[in-house]
Amino acid sequence: MSGTISIRPVTPADHAAWKPLWDGYNAFYGRSGPTALPEEITRTTWARFHDPAEPVHALVAECDGELLGLAHYLFHRSTIQIGQSCYLQDLFTVEAARGRGVGRTLIERVCEHARAARAPRVYWQTHETNTTAMRLYDQVAEKSGFVVYRKLP
């Protein structure tokens, strides 16, 4: 990994290289083995990235022909602003690429897409134990102060 890191939209031809990143991201959050996402979710997610009617997008970080990271983001309406918000839902880099600016560059590129879409904000969340990522997030953004709750319907 001595070359230049480039960030670009994912393409259908990237599936075989994207899938291990997706699996690594999900494993990090405990979704592997018996708790893995159903394959239908992965297939649907992948299809959404390539459907122009969907507000879900994917970027990949690439160096020397190898995918090093991913960022998945989506746009949605809000009750507190006119423009759509941009939610950075998934961010992941391979361990060997951490500390090389890949995550920061992916975040910056998502922000560029948000500006182009006139979204007034980009936001994301992480698990409270993800201290490595939070060191980066504390440098590039501000904590909102909100706590996330969830409940099954």
Side-chain angles (χ1 to χ4, degrees):
M1 286 187 295
S2 58
T4 302
I5 296 168
S6 63
I7 308 296
R8 62 174 176 78
V10 74
T11 68
D14 290 323
H15 186 267
W18 167 86
K19 181 74 164 52
L21 295 171
W22 175 242
D23 291 342
Y25 171 79
N26 282 300
F28 179 83
Y29 283 108
R31 297 182 296 261
S32 63
T35 59
L37 292 177
E39 189 56 35
E40 179 183 11
I41 291 175
T42 294
R43 278 193 310 273
T44 301
T45 297
W46 181 254
R48 286 176 176 162
F49 297 148
H50 308 290
D51 182 346
E54 287 284 348
V56 182
H57 308 277
L59 299 174
V60 289
E62 183 177 37
C63 183
D64 298 330
E66 179 184 357
L67 296 189
L68 304 177
L70 59 77
H72 303 152
Y73 62 100
L74 57 97
F75 293 99
H76 67 85
R77 298 197 185 282
S78 171
T79 60
I80 61 169
Q81 62 195 25
I82 301 299
Q84 296 191 76
S85 288
C86 179
Y87 177 51
L88 173 56
Q89 186 163 9
D90 310 317
L91 180 68
F92 181 77
T93 63
V94 295
E95 192 167 340
R98 293 180 189 153
R100 295 188 55 213
V102 176
R104 178 186 299 267
T105 306
L106 283 163
I107 291 169
E108 289 170 359
R109 190 59 54 89
V110 169
C111 289
E112 288 174 14
H113 286 266
R115 279 191 296 278
R118 299 187 182 267
R121 74 174 180 160
V122 176
Y123 72 102
W124 61 92
Q125 61 186 351
T126 192
H127 195 271
E128 64 188 7
T129 60
N130 194 358
T131 56
T132 300
M134 286 190 290
R135 281 194 294 276
L136 168 62
Y137 301 161
D138 288 343
Q139 293 174 21
V140 301
E142 62 184 46
K143 290 182 183 172
S144 68
F146 283 87
V147 177
V148 176
Y149 290 86
R150 64 181 174 196
K151 182 180 183 330
L152 296 176

mmCIF file of all heavy atoms in Angstrom, residues 8 10-23 46 60-62 65-70 92 94:
data_model
loop_
_atom_site.group_PDB
_atom_site.id
_atom_site.type_symbol
_atom_site.label_atom_id
_atom_site.label_comp_id
_atom_site.label_asym_id
_atom_site.label_seq_id
_atom_site.Cartn_x
_atom_site.Cartn_y
_atom_site.Cartn_z
ATOM 1 N N ARG A 8 -13.899 6.746 -4.540
ATOM 2 C CA ARG A 8 -14.796 6.749 -5.696
ATOM 3 C C ARG A 8 -16.094 6.013 -5.350
ATOM 4 O O ARG A 8 -16.139 5.234 -4.397
ATOM 5 C CB ARG A 8 -14.118 6.096 -6.891
ATOM 6 C CG ARG A 8 -13.757 4.633 -6.642
ATOM 7 C CD ARG A 8 -13.213 3.975 -7.896
ATOM 8 N NE ARG A 8 -12.776 2.613 -7.663
ATOM 9 C CZ ARG A 8 -13.571 1.558 -7.557
ATOM 10 N NH1 ARG A 8 -14.878 1.694 -7.642
ATOM 11 N NH2 ARG A 8 -13.067 0.352 -7.360
ATOM 12 N N VAL A 10 -18.797 3.165 -5.534
ATOM 13 C CA VAL A 10 -18.697 1.735 -5.772
ATOM 14 C C VAL A 10 -19.354 1.417 -7.123
ATOM 15 O O VAL A 10 -20.278 2.117 -7.548
ATOM 16 C CB VAL A 10 -19.349 0.949 -4.602
ATOM 17 C CG1 VAL A 10 -20.862 1.025 -4.639
ATOM 18 C CG2 VAL A 10 -18.898 -0.485 -4.557
ATOM 19 N N THR A 11 -18.855 0.404 -7.805
ATOM 20 C CA THR A 11 -19.434 -0.034 -9.077
ATOM 21 C C THR A 11 -19.874 -1.484 -8.941
ATOM 22 O O THR A 11 -19.388 -2.208 -8.052
ATOM 23 C CB THR A 11 -18.423 0.072 -10.235
ATOM 24 O OG1 THR A 11 -17.391 -0.909 -10.024
ATOM 25 C CG2 THR A 11 -17.823 1.465 -10.326
ATOM 26 N N PRO A 12 -20.755 -1.951 -9.821
ATOM 27 C CA PRO A 12 -21.156 -3.365 -9.755
ATOM 28 C C PRO A 12 -19.962 -4.325 -9.811
ATOM 29 O O PRO A 12 -19.983 -5.375 -9.182
ATOM 30 C CB PRO A 12 -22.083 -3.525 -10.967
ATOM 31 C CG PRO A 12 -22.688 -2.171 -11.148
ATOM 32 C CD PRO A 12 -21.559 -1.212 -10.823
ATOM 33 N N ALA A 13 -18.912 -3.954 -10.523
ATOM 34 C CA ALA A 13 -17.725 -4.815 -10.632
ATOM 35 C C ALA A 13 -16.959 -4.933 -9.320
ATOM 36 O O ALA A 13 -16.098 -5.806 -9.180
ATOM 37 C CB ALA A 13 -16.800 -4.291 -11.728
ATOM 38 N N ASP A 14 -17.254 -4.081 -8.338
ATOM 39 C CA ASP A 14 -16.548 -4.088 -7.053
ATOM 40 C C ASP A 14 -17.097 -5.102 -6.057
ATOM 41 O O ASP A 14 -16.553 -5.226 -4.960
ATOM 42 C CB ASP A 14 -16.635 -2.706 -6.391
ATOM 43 C CG ASP A 14 -15.829 -1.660 -7.099
ATOM 44 O OD1 ASP A 14 -14.729 -1.980 -7.592
ATOM 45 O OD2 ASP A 14 -16.307 -0.506 -7.160
ATOM 46 N N HIS A 15 -18.155 -5.795 -6.389
ATOM 47 C CA HIS A 15 -18.836 -6.614 -5.381
ATOM 48 C C HIS A 15 -17.894 -7.574 -4.656
ATOM 49 O O HIS A 15 -17.913 -7.654 -3.425
ATOM 50 C CB HIS A 15 -20.011 -7.391 -5.987
ATOM 51 C CG HIS A 15 -20.796 -8.116 -4.947
ATOM 52 N ND1 HIS A 15 -20.534 -9.430 -4.601
ATOM 53 C CD2 HIS A 15 -21.795 -7.713 -4.139
ATOM 54 C CE1 HIS A 15 -21.349 -9.796 -3.635
ATOM 55 N NE2 HIS A 15 -22.133 -8.776 -3.333
ATOM 56 N N ALA A 16 -17.073 -8.310 -5.390
ATOM 57 C CA ALA A 16 -16.196 -9.307 -4.756
ATOM 58 C C ALA A 16 -15.203 -8.666 -3.790
ATOM 59 O O ALA A 16 -14.846 -9.272 -2.772
ATOM 60 C CB ALA A 16 -15.453 -10.119 -5.822
ATOM 61 N N ALA A 17 -14.757 -7.451 -4.077
ATOM 62 C CA ALA A 17 -13.809 -6.761 -3.187
ATOM 63 C C ALA A 17 -14.536 -6.000 -2.068
ATOM 64 O O ALA A 17 -13.984 -5.825 -0.984
ATOM 65 C CB ALA A 17 -12.936 -5.811 -3.995
ATOM 66 N N TRP A 18 -15.760 -5.546 -2.346
ATOM 67 C CA TRP A 18 -16.560 -4.822 -1.341
ATOM 68 C C TRP A 18 -17.057 -5.766 -0.249
ATOM 69 O O TRP A 18 -17.072 -5.394 0.925
ATOM 70 C CB TRP A 18 -17.739 -4.143 -2.036
ATOM 71 C CG TRP A 18 -18.798 -3.623 -1.123
ATOM 72 C CD1 TRP A 18 -18.828 -2.401 -0.499
ATOM 73 C CD2 TRP A 18 -19.989 -4.301 -0.698
ATOM 74 N NE1 TRP A 18 -19.968 -2.285 0.261
ATOM 75 C CE2 TRP A 18 -20.700 -3.442 0.158
ATOM 76 C CE3 TRP A 18 -20.526 -5.559 -0.978
ATOM 77 C CZ2 TRP A 18 -21.908 -3.795 0.747
ATOM 78 C CZ3 TRP A 18 -21.739 -5.915 -0.402
ATOM 79 C CH2 TRP A 18 -22.413 -5.030 0.457
ATOM 80 N N LYS A 19 -17.436 -6.972 -0.633
ATOM 81 C CA LYS A 19 -18.076 -7.902 0.314
ATOM 82 C C LYS A 19 -17.211 -8.195 1.542
ATOM 83 O O LYS A 19 -17.731 -8.178 2.672
ATOM 84 C CB LYS A 19 -18.458 -9.198 -0.420
ATOM 85 C CG LYS A 19 -19.148 -10.251 0.433
ATOM 86 C CD LYS A 19 -20.571 -9.890 0.749
ATOM 87 C CE LYS A 19 -21.407 -11.038 1.251
ATOM 88 N NZ LYS A 19 -20.890 -11.808 2.353
ATOM 89 N N PRO A 20 -15.905 -8.445 1.429
ATOM 90 C CA PRO A 20 -15.102 -8.650 2.640
ATOM 91 C C PRO A 20 -15.067 -7.408 3.547
ATOM 92 O O PRO A 20 -15.009 -7.538 4.773
ATOM 93 C CB PRO A 20 -13.702 -8.985 2.122
ATOM 94 C CG PRO A 20 -13.921 -9.496 0.743
ATOM 95 C CD PRO A 20 -15.122 -8.748 0.216
ATOM 96 N N LEU A 21 -15.099 -6.215 2.962
ATOM 97 C CA LEU A 21 -15.166 -4.994 3.774
ATOM 98 C C LEU A 21 -16.498 -4.953 4.529
ATOM 99 O O LEU A 21 -16.531 -4.662 5.732
ATOM 100 C CB LEU A 21 -15.035 -3.751 2.901
ATOM 101 C CG LEU A 21 -13.707 -3.539 2.187
ATOM 102 C CD1 LEU A 21 -13.817 -2.390 1.202
ATOM 103 C CD2 LEU A 21 -12.595 -3.293 3.190
ATOM 104 N N TRP A 22 -17.576 -5.233 3.828
ATOM 105 C CA TRP A 22 -18.913 -5.262 4.434
ATOM 106 C C TRP A 22 -18.960 -6.304 5.551
ATOM 107 O O TRP A 22 -19.464 -6.035 6.636
ATOM 108 C CB TRP A 22 -19.931 -5.549 3.338
ATOM 109 C CG TRP A 22 -21.348 -5.723 3.759
ATOM 110 C CD1 TRP A 22 -22.103 -6.854 3.597
ATOM 111 C CD2 TRP A 22 -22.212 -4.763 4.373
ATOM 112 N NE1 TRP A 22 -23.380 -6.639 4.072
ATOM 113 C CE2 TRP A 22 -23.468 -5.365 4.559
ATOM 114 C CE3 TRP A 22 -22.036 -3.456 4.801
ATOM 115 C CZ2 TRP A 22 -24.542 -4.699 5.144
ATOM 116 C CZ3 TRP A 22 -23.101 -2.789 5.376
ATOM 117 C CH2 TRP A 22 -24.338 -3.418 5.544
ATOM 118 N N ASP A 23 -18.416 -7.476 5.280
ATOM 119 C CA ASP A 23 -18.400 -8.526 6.304
ATOM 120 C C ASP A 23 -17.546 -8.107 7.500
ATOM 121 O O ASP A 23 -17.912 -8.367 8.650
ATOM 122 C CB ASP A 23 -17.876 -9.842 5.717
ATOM 123 C CG ASP A 23 -18.832 -10.472 4.714
ATOM 124 O OD1 ASP A 23 -20.038 -10.113 4.691
ATOM 125 O OD2 ASP A 23 -18.368 -11.331 3.931
ATOM 126 N N TRP A 46 -26.719 -4.017 -1.503
ATOM 127 C CA TRP A 46 -25.877 -3.880 -2.694
ATOM 128 C C TRP A 46 -26.693 -3.361 -3.874
ATOM 129 O O TRP A 46 -26.251 -2.450 -4.589
ATOM 130 C CB TRP A 46 -25.224 -5.219 -3.034
ATOM 131 C CG TRP A 46 -24.327 -5.133 -4.224
ATOM 132 C CD1 TRP A 46 -24.567 -5.617 -5.476
ATOM 133 C CD2 TRP A 46 -23.047 -4.502 -4.294
ATOM 134 N NE1 TRP A 46 -23.519 -5.327 -6.316
ATOM 135 C CE2 TRP A 46 -22.575 -4.644 -5.607
ATOM 136 C CE3 TRP A 46 -22.256 -3.828 -3.364
ATOM 137 C CZ2 TRP A 46 -21.343 -4.138 -6.026
ATOM 138 C CZ3 TRP A 46 -21.031 -3.326 -3.783
ATOM 139 C CH2 TRP A 46 -20.579 -3.491 -5.093
ATOM 140 N N VAL A 60 -15.964 3.817 -1.977
ATOM 141 C CA VAL A 60 -14.882 2.934 -1.554
ATOM 142 C C VAL A 60 -13.562 3.692 -1.648
ATOM 143 O O VAL A 60 -13.407 4.594 -2.463
ATOM 144 C CB VAL A 60 -14.812 1.638 -2.396
ATOM 145 C CG1 VAL A 60 -15.983 0.722 -2.073
ATOM 146 C CG2 VAL A 60 -14.745 1.926 -3.882
ATOM 147 N N ALA A 61 -12.643 3.309 -0.782
ATOM 148 C CA ALA A 61 -11.277 3.814 -0.821
ATOM 149 C C ALA A 61 -10.432 2.743 -1.486
ATOM 150 O O ALA A 61 -10.513 1.566 -1.121
ATOM 151 C CB ALA A 61 -10.773 4.092 0.589
ATOM 152 N N GLU A 62 -9.611 3.151 -2.436
ATOM 153 C CA GLU A 62 -8.828 2.202 -3.211
ATOM 154 C C GLU A 62 -7.372 2.662 -3.279
ATOM 155 O O GLU A 62 -7.091 3.855 -3.377
ATOM 156 C CB GLU A 62 -9.407 2.114 -4.627
ATOM 157 C CG GLU A 62 -8.731 1.114 -5.524
ATOM 158 C CD GLU A 62 -9.410 1.036 -6.886
ATOM 159 O OE1 GLU A 62 -9.863 2.080 -7.403
ATOM 160 O OE2 GLU A 62 -9.469 -0.066 -7.428
ATOM 161 N N GLY A 65 -5.154 -0.806 -6.626
ATOM 162 C CA GLY A 65 -6.120 -1.797 -7.079
ATOM 163 C C GLY A 65 -6.819 -2.565 -5.978
ATOM 164 O O GLY A 65 -7.605 -3.466 -6.255
ATOM 165 N N GLU A 66 -6.556 -2.216 -4.722
ATOM 166 C CA GLU A 66 -7.153 -2.919 -3.583
ATOM 167 C C GLU A 66 -8.104 -1.982 -2.846
ATOM 168 O O GLU A 66 -7.779 -0.826 -2.592
ATOM 169 C CB GLU A 66 -6.045 -3.374 -2.626
ATOM 170 C CG GLU A 66 -6.541 -4.081 -1.397
ATOM 171 C CD GLU A 66 -5.417 -4.429 -0.423
ATOM 172 O OE1 GLU A 66 -4.236 -4.168 -0.731
ATOM 173 O OE2 GLU A 66 -5.737 -4.944 0.663
ATOM 174 N N LEU A 67 -9.291 -2.499 -2.490
ATOM 175 C CA LEU A 67 -10.227 -1.707 -1.704
ATOM 176 C C LEU A 67 -9.818 -1.758 -0.243
ATOM 177 O O LEU A 67 -9.623 -2.829 0.323
ATOM 178 C CB LEU A 67 -11.660 -2.216 -1.875
ATOM 179 C CG LEU A 67 -12.253 -2.113 -3.276
ATOM 180 C CD1 LEU A 67 -13.756 -2.446 -3.249
ATOM 181 C CD2 LEU A 67 -12.015 -0.757 -3.899
ATOM 182 N N LEU A 68 -9.685 -0.568 0.359
ATOM 183 C CA LEU A 68 -9.223 -0.443 1.742
ATOM 184 C C LEU A 68 -10.321 -0.031 2.705
ATOM 185 O O LEU A 68 -10.171 -0.168 3.912
ATOM 186 C CB LEU A 68 -8.104 0.600 1.836
ATOM 187 C CG LEU A 68 -6.896 0.399 0.955
ATOM 188 C CD1 LEU A 68 -5.934 1.559 1.144
ATOM 189 C CD2 LEU A 68 -6.228 -0.926 1.265
ATOM 190 N N GLY A 69 -11.399 0.530 2.185
ATOM 191 C CA GLY A 69 -12.442 1.015 3.073
ATOM 192 C C GLY A 69 -13.719 1.304 2.320
ATOM 193 O O GLY A 69 -13.745 1.331 1.089
ATOM 194 N N LEU A 70 -14.771 1.523 3.098
ATOM 195 C CA LEU A 70 -16.075 1.843 2.529
ATOM 196 C C LEU A 70 -16.771 2.898 3.371
ATOM 197 O O LEU A 70 -16.484 3.064 4.556
ATOM 198 C CB LEU A 70 -16.951 0.588 2.425
ATOM 199 C CG LEU A 70 -17.288 -0.205 3.695
ATOM 200 C CD1 LEU A 70 -18.363 0.450 4.551
ATOM 201 C CD2 LEU A 70 -17.739 -1.593 3.319
ATOM 202 N N PHE A 92 -15.894 1.991 7.359
ATOM 203 C CA PHE A 92 -15.002 0.898 7.744
ATOM 204 C C PHE A 92 -13.746 0.948 6.897
ATOM 205 O O PHE A 92 -13.804 1.221 5.704
ATOM 206 C CB PHE A 92 -15.703 -0.451 7.532
ATOM 207 C CG PHE A 92 -14.874 -1.641 7.931
ATOM 208 C CD1 PHE A 92 -14.716 -1.979 9.265
ATOM 209 C CD2 PHE A 92 -14.244 -2.421 6.974
ATOM 210 C CE1 PHE A 92 -13.948 -3.078 9.645
ATOM 211 C CE2 PHE A 92 -13.474 -3.515 7.336
ATOM 212 C CZ PHE A 92 -13.330 -3.842 8.676
ATOM 213 N N VAL A 94 -9.960 -1.414 6.399
ATOM 214 C CA VAL A 94 -9.229 -2.616 6.795
ATOM 215 C C VAL A 94 -8.176 -2.212 7.820
ATOM 216 O O VAL A 94 -7.672 -1.084 7.811
ATOM 217 C CB VAL A 94 -8.580 -3.336 5.587
ATOM 218 C CG1 VAL A 94 -9.642 -3.868 4.635
ATOM 219 C CG2 VAL A 94 -7.592 -2.460 4.871
#
